[in-house]
Amino acid sequence: MRRIFLTAWTIWLFDFATKQWAISALEVEPKKILGSFLQLSLVKNPGAAFGFATGLTLLYSILAVAVVATIVYFARAISSGGWQLTAGLLLGGVMGNLADRAFREPAFFRGHVIDWIELPNWPVFNLADCAIVIAAAIAFVLSVRNVPPITPVR
């Protein structure tokens, strides 16, 4: 259980710090890091992934609260190290974006998520998004390998 919360806290902290940096450093203009391949650009995203469904921010906030509550509820039972890492990455990523939705403009639970990493032909994203995608990839691998999140009692 400790691994889940330590991972989540680390992801949330780095996500928060990098979003604060992006707000202060990228407000005026994007920064090219690797030419047009990697740029840092400030985007205030009112929707879901890829800027989809911008009018449903409140629904995404409620869904995120449900995900956080579910992970916290089941955290003690997860005994697999891989699933603990997955839950921690997911929890940290969801909390990072939920904090934006809850506390940023324009309103409580309707705030814009701060995105700042830009690749060509891909929507701008942030570290919380990276953690969620990595968690999904690990969950896929663990599922394919038939690794249970809870070790059966014999």
Side-chain angles (χ1 to χ4, degrees):
M1 183 167 82
R2 181 186 272 166
R3 176 185 286 170
I4 294 171
F5 295 114
L6 181 60
T7 302
W9 173 251
T10 302
I11 294 299
W12 181 85
L13 190 63
F14 277 104
D15 181 63
F16 178 78
T18 57
K19 286 175 180 175
Q20 292 304 111
W21 169 83
I23 289 169
S24 65
L26 304 174
E27 187 74 44
V28 178
E29 67 181 50
K31 298 190 183 312
K32 292 185 182 226
I33 303 299
L34 294 173
S36 62
F37 177 72
L38 174 62
Q39 297 184 80
L40 306 181
S41 305
L42 181 63
V43 173
K44 295 176 181 178
N45 181 358
F50 312 116
F52 177 74
T54 58
L56 299 176
T57 305
L58 180 60
L59 179 63
Y60 297 133
S61 297
I62 293 168
L63 180 62
V65 168
V67 169
V68 168
T70 301
I71 293 171
V72 169
Y73 180 79
F74 287 106
R76 182 166 284 156
I78 300 172
S79 56
S80 163
W83 283 108
Q84 288 174 349
L85 177 62
T86 301
L89 288 167
L90 180 60
L91 181 61
V94 169
M95 286 187 344
N97 287 338
L98 178 61
D100 283 357
R101 292 188 198 288
F103 302 113
R104 296 200 191 274
E105 294 181 350
F108 184 69
F109 271 14
R110 290 186 168 90
H112 296 167
V113 173
I114 302 300
D115 291 329
W116 56 275
I117 304 168
E118 183 177 4
L119 298 173
N121 305 312
W122 197 258
V124 182
F125 57 97
N126 58 47
L127 292 184
D129 298 333
C130 293
I132 292 167
V133 169
I134 292 168
I138 295 171
F140 176 78
V141 170
L142 292 171
S143 296
V144 167
R145 295 180 73 197
N146 203 24
V147 176
I150 301 167
T151 306
V153 179
R154 296 177 188 213

